[in-house]
Amino acid sequence: FDQVLVNSTNSSNVTTLVVDSQMHLSPVHGPYPWGIDWNWKFVDNELNFTNSLKMKVSIILGVVQMVLGIIMHAFNARHFGKPLDFVFEFIPMLLFMLCFFGWLCIMIIIKWLTPYGSGFKEVGDAPSILTMII
């Protein structure tokens, strides 16, 4: 086991953690390919970060579920031979859904994939999704 010093974000005291030598804390390796970095457990804004992440994942899953429901509506209109339902219900619903909520999901994913704070952009440059959608 190795000892690692971790600076707290809003205080000057240093916390000593004991971690397994197999874990890599070096920023050279970049972000984890899947999951949340375990170091979030030791910061003061862990609750804000995890709640924000859960909210964004819930939005994406909800939009995917609703789009699948709209697509099922198109299959029903075709199966029951109702072309007016397809043209005047399915197409407007899908356009509305993708223009507003699809755009929101694309912005969330782009914000996740942009490496803010790694020399490419500064941490404070991360845009607010709320102001971008308005």
Side-chain angles (χ1 to χ4, degrees), residues 20 23 32 42 62 65 69-70 75 82 87 104 132:
D20 188 0
M23 293 183 172
Y32 290 99
F42 304 107
Q65 180 182 3
I70 293 171
F75 285 124
K82 297 181 178 180
V87 172
L104 175 66
M132 285 176 24

Side-chain angles (χ1 to χ4, degrees), residues 28-117:
V28 175
H29 297 293
Y32 290 99
W34 183 255
I36 300 174
D37 188 352
W38 62 273
N39 286 324
W40 277 105
K41 186 70 176 164
F42 304 107
V43 297
D44 294 334
N45 61 344
E46 174 206 5
L47 186 62
N48 292 336
F49 172 75
T50 54
N51 284 345
S52 174
L53 180 68
K54 289 186 284 187
M55 178 183 63
K56 291 172 185 170
V57 169
S58 297
I59 288 171
I60 291 173
L61 291 176
V63 169
V64 167
Q65 180 182 3
M66 289 187 281
V67 168
L68 288 175
I70 293 171
I71 291 172
M72 293 300 296
H73 183 75
F75 285 124
N76 282 340
R78 182 168 184 247
H79 176 73
F80 292 113
K82 297 181 178 180
L84 292 177
D85 284 357
F86 184 85
V87 172
F88 294 110
E89 289 184 12
F90 167 70
I91 293 175
M93 284 192 298
L94 190 64
L95 283 175
F96 178 80
M97 188 69 173
L98 293 179
C99 285
F100 289 102
F101 299 107
W103 175 243
L104 175 66
C105 291
I106 289 170
M107 287 191 301
I108 289 171
I109 292 169
I110 288 173
K111 189 172 178 180
W112 281 344
L113 296 178
T114 304
Y116 296 101

